[in-house]
Amino acid sequence: MDFDQILAKCGDFNRYQLLILTLFGVVNVIVSMHYFTQTVISFVPDHWCYHEKLENKTYDEIAAIYSKFPNPSCTKLADIDGMNATASTERCDRWIYKYDFGYRSMNTELNWVCESSYKARIGQSLFFIGSVVGTLFYGLLSDKIGRLPALILSNLSGFIGDFSTIFTTSVTTFTLCRFISGLAADTNFYLMYIIVLEYLRPSMRTFGLNIAVGIFYTLGLVFTPWLAVLAGHWQYYLASTSIPILSIAFYYFIVQESAQWLVTRNDVDGAIKRLKRVARFNGRKVSVTEFEEFRKYCEKQHQKQGGDDQKHSNLIDMFRTPRMRKHTLILFFKSMVITLCYDVVSRNVEGMGISPFIMFSLSALVVLPSSLMLVLLQDRIGRKGMASGSLLVGGFFTVAAGIAIAYQKQNHNAILLACLTIAARFGVAISYESGSQYATELIPTCVRGQGVAAVHVAGFAASFLAPYILWLGTFFKAAPSMILGVLFFSGSLVCLMLPETLNKTLPKTLEEGEEFGKGESMFDFPCLSKNKTEEDSESEMEPYSKRKESLTAGLEHGNGNVHPLRQDLIDDNSNSCT
């Protein structure tokens, strides 16, 4: 009795699964606020260099006076006569800010604008570097000490970094705090993602995970800027977003460690202990005999696959065999494409004439529709078809938005730019969400933490190229969109070389990962497979009842039970695209 079978007896979509999906939703809200904290605390409103004669003027009057100068935000005025003014050669050291919704950001309070604007960017860079280091470190740690402890420790890093940022006043302490905060980025999300995925019925993974991400991540993103407005000050905002991170520590007493991971560490007793807790919570009764059958299966697989070798598997082992190496490199490339394209699309819409709070919320609304799209389509056309198709569609959206943004820049049509940006992010969001699940399912359990971490790091590393791609737009405005289009379409093509994971027992060891999906062609999609073609003559076709009996007999195990992952082939005559 393998893991999927014993999990089905303990309950693979019951009370416990609903509990961890809810807790995963809480993680999504916390992660969305943590990840975009740097953006929110660095919002810079319209501002002008201070002059005593501007104190009694309206913002519109101040803007009209400064409109005559090429760099109004950083030009100090020598004298003002009515609506006329002359510029001074001195540097500006005090500013007038037009606070958006009354929110006072860190940049405005510390006057990190004009010549000092680089200070906030250094912090952003260190946050990114921290995320690369943290993803690698906690990914390796999760395969050594477990998913749950690594999840709690990574979130603790996020709390320490965000909360300590409140007390920073210099660029040195600020960058250090942002580095510590960045250590949590992504591992505070995908480790919980892995735990939930491994306890869910395969047929419910797409629905459960994407609905949780779609609803809760969207709520977090939409609420984040308005929480800042409600707080009114960047320090109060940081306190209100960092303190809830501590709630993740209580997951240690609620969430069960990954039983599949324990099996790969040859801790079958620990896996059975967690499965018994799941069964008890779900109100299921599983006999001792059934757990013993699972134990014998694990021991047999352990001996067959080289004893303790799997306990020492690492990321390098994914490159030792040809098929695993090919799949890993494709996952790396796909992650690089998605992350880079998303970053470029986000950076290419600055200064659209819309409040950053409003634009932030509007662009966040695409997350839920993209998740619903995955729920509706991914279990119909499969993981491979969704990954390839979403990259293809995302490419069209991104190219269209990029070209339009480039050529409409002078017209400054804020509504058009906002609509195109939202459409582009919609395509990228679908690609990102489908890619996260695909990578998690395809990488074997024994190296899943390290493998998923490496895939995410590859994406983060690629985002370093975003400024240079945008810089090419100074020579040819359509260059960034053309480059992104090539990347998206290339990613769509190579995804066809990956095996399908829909309704299949996921690989637990490197040997299973090497053999997984052998014999599949590039265009093997679940929605296109049928047991019989309509061209078969009526005399050659068996009645459905006989075919069902035959299929049942073929899928039965020695104990006469039908494999749970193949029950859908009996209940449904065939998979269909419609």
Side-chain angles (χ1 to χ4, degrees):
M1 182 178 294
D2 63 18
F3 182 83
D4 291 323
Q5 290 175 295
I6 192 67
L7 180 62
K9 293 182 178 296
C10 296
D12 52 12
F13 197 73
N14 209 304
R15 289 196 293 261
Y16 178 72
Q17 284 70 29
L18 295 178
L19 171 65
I20 59 176
L21 280 171
T22 302
L23 295 176
F24 180 54
V26 175
V27 168
N28 274 272
V29 174
I30 291 175
V31 167
S32 64
M33 293 191 294
H34 170 263
Y35 189 80
F36 289 101
T37 290
Q38 181 68 48
T39 302
V40 175
I41 66 174
S42 301
F43 279 159
V44 178
D46 292 336
H47 57 285
W48 306 271
C49 195
Y50 173 82
H51 193 282
E52 59 273 9
K53 291 185 178 181
L54 297 175
E55 289 184 352
N56 296 323
K57 295 187 180 295
T58 64
Y59 289 124
D60 290 337
E61 291 174 335
I62 295 173
I65 292 172
Y66 272 100
S67 64
K68 303 176 179 64
F69 301 97
N71 189 12
S73 297
C74 305
T75 300
K76 188 171 184 178
L77 301 180
D79 188 33
I80 301 175
D81 183 14
M83 297 301 291
N84 298 318
T86 56
S88 171
T89 57
E90 297 179 6
R91 292 178 59 181
C92 188
D93 57 3
R94 186 179 176 186
W95 285 265
I96 299 171
Y97 294 102
K98 183 182 179 182
Y99 295 107
D100 204 355
F101 292 99
Y103 171 69
R104 296 174 180 266
S105 68
M106 179 196 66
N107 286 40
T108 60
E109 184 168 286
L110 300 179
N111 286 327
W112 284 0
V113 295
C114 296
E115 291 85 357
S116 298
S117 61
Y118 73 92
K119 295 179 180 179
R121 294 193 181 103
I122 293 176
Q124 292 175 347
S125 300
L126 266 293
F127 180 89
F128 175 80
I129 294 173
S131 68
V132 172
V133 175
T135 301
L136 287 174
F137 174 73
Y138 287 116
L140 292 170
L141 195 65
S142 71
D143 283 333
K144 296 295 182 182
I145 67 173
R147 318 293 195 220
L148 194 56
L151 171 70
I152 294 171
L153 290 174
S154 67
N155 276 279
L156 183 60
S157 297
F159 166 75
I160 293 173
D162 282 355
F163 195 77
S164 59
T165 302
I166 296 173
F167 308 100
T168 59
T169 56
S170 67
V171 66
T172 302
T173 55
F174 175 70
T175 52
L176 176 61
C177 293
R178 298 322 296 161
F179 174 82
I180 297 173
S181 178
L183 292 173
D186 225 31
T187 49
N188 55 359
F189 167 81
Y190 80 76
L191 288 177
M192 187 64 182
Y193 186 98
I194 291 175
I195 292 173
V196 176
L197 180 142
E198 292 177 346
Y199 276 110
L200 273 180
R201 181 189 309 164
S203 62
M204 296 303 296
R205 285 172 183 157
T206 297
F207 175 80
L209 290 168
N210 287 292
I211 286 296
V213 172
I215 294 176
F216 291 97
Y217 200 78
T218 300
L219 285 175
L221 288 180
V222 172
F223 181 66
T224 291
W226 305 111
L227 177 61
V229 171
L230 183 64
H233 194 278
W234 68 278
Q235 291 176 315
Y236 298 144
Y237 166 74
L238 274 177
S240 61
T241 57
S242 59
I243 292 176
I245 298 177
L246 293 175
S247 64
I248 303 298
F250 293 101
Y251 282 30
Y252 183 82
F253 306 101
I254 304 173
V255 179
Q256 301 302 314
E257 179 58 84
S258 167
Q260 286 197 40
W261 174 78
L262 290 169
V263 169
T264 64
R265 314 306 289 180
N266 198 30
D267 186 7
V268 182
D269 290 334
I272 292 176
K273 181 179 179 181
R274 270 68 178 186
L275 289 169
K276 285 181 177 179
R277 290 175 180 173
V278 172
R280 190 182 308 115
F281 192 89
N282 286 336
R284 295 289 189 91
K285 294 183 179 180
V286 184
S287 67
V288 176
T289 303
E290 289 170 324
F291 280 120
E292 284 303 314
E293 289 181 9
F294 173 64
R295 183 193 301 277
K296 292 178 182 178
Y297 172 84
C298 293
E299 292 174 350
K300 183 178 179 181
Q301 291 296 110
H302 180 68
Q303 294 174 357
K304 180 180 177 181
Q305 293 158 0
D308 291 336
D309 289 345
Q310 291 299 324
K311 294 177 68 174
H312 305 290
S313 299
N314 54 52
L315 181 64
I316 303 300
D317 294 327
M318 296 174 64
F319 295 90
R320 298 190 188 280
T321 54
R323 297 188 75 252
M324 276 292 296
R325 181 167 56 247
K326 182 185 74 172
H327 296 163
T328 303
L329 291 174
I330 291 174
L331 290 174
F332 280 11
F333 179 72
K334 183 164 69 71
S335 178
M336 294 168 70
V337 166
I338 294 172
T339 307
L340 178 59
C341 291
Y342 185 84
D343 194 60
V344 173
V345 169
S346 300
R347 290 172 180 265
N348 210 21
V349 295
E350 295 180 357
M352 292 192 303
I354 298 178
S355 167
F357 295 95
I358 296 175
M359 190 61 215
F360 193 100
S361 295
L362 288 176
S363 62
L365 293 175
V366 305
V367 177
L368 181 57
S370 65
S371 297
L372 294 176
M373 185 75 72
L374 285 174
V375 171
L376 292 174
L377 298 180
Q378 186 156 263
D379 282 346
R380 290 176 176 266
I381 66 177
R383 313 297 194 248
K384 178 167 66 174
M386 198 67 194
S388 179
S390 61
L391 283 170
L392 185 65
V393 173
F396 284 120
F397 273 133
T398 305
V399 168
I403 293 176
I405 288 172
Y407 286 100
Q408 291 289 327
K409 190 172 183 180
Q410 298 301 325
N411 295 336
H412 206 72
N413 190 326
I415 296 177
L416 176 62
L417 293 182
C419 292
L420 290 173
T421 300
I422 291 172
R425 289 187 180 180
F426 175 73
V428 176
I430 294 177
S431 302
Y432 186 83
E433 291 185 48
S434 64
S436 297
Q437 182 174 346
Y438 201 5
T440 305
E441 291 181 344
L442 197 56
I443 296 174
T445 304
C446 61
V447 289
R448 186 165 290 158
Q450 302 173 51
V452 174
V455 168
H456 284 256
V457 166
F460 289 146
S463 64
F464 275 121
L465 299 174
Y468 302 101
I469 292 178
L470 290 173
W471 176 70
L472 293 176
T474 60
F475 302 98
F476 178 54
K477 291 183 178 181
S481 61
M482 292 173 62
I483 293 173
L484 296 185
V486 172
L487 289 174
F488 258 124
F489 298 143
S490 299
S492 177
L493 177 63
V494 298
C495 278
L496 296 175
M497 302 178 188
L498 292 173
E500 181 56 62
T501 61
L502 177 62
N503 288 336
K504 293 184 179 180
T505 301
L506 303 182
K508 300 178 182 62
T509 65
L510 293 170
E511 289 79 5
E512 292 177 359
E514 177 67 15
E515 296 297 319
F516 189 79
K518 265 192 174 181
E520 286 188 20
S521 68
M522 289 179 63
F523 300 102
D524 277 346
F525 302 112
C527 63
L528 299 179
S529 61
K530 293 185 178 181
N531 294 330
K532 290 287 184 178
T533 62
E534 294 183 358
E535 287 78 10
D536 288 341
S537 62
E538 186 173 348
S539 60
E540 292 177 337
M541 293 185 65
E542 296 179 297
Y544 171 67
S545 60
K546 291 184 178 181
R547 286 190 284 115
K548 179 175 180 179
E549 292 173 3
S550 176
L551 181 59
T552 303
L555 294 174
E556 284 180 348
H557 298 285
N559 58 4
N561 294 325
V562 180
H563 193 293
L565 299 184
R566 291 291 178 260
Q567 183 65 46
D568 60 320
L569 298 179
I570 300 171
D571 295 333
D572 299 320
N573 189 12
S574 62
N575 291 326
S576 174
C577 290
T578 57

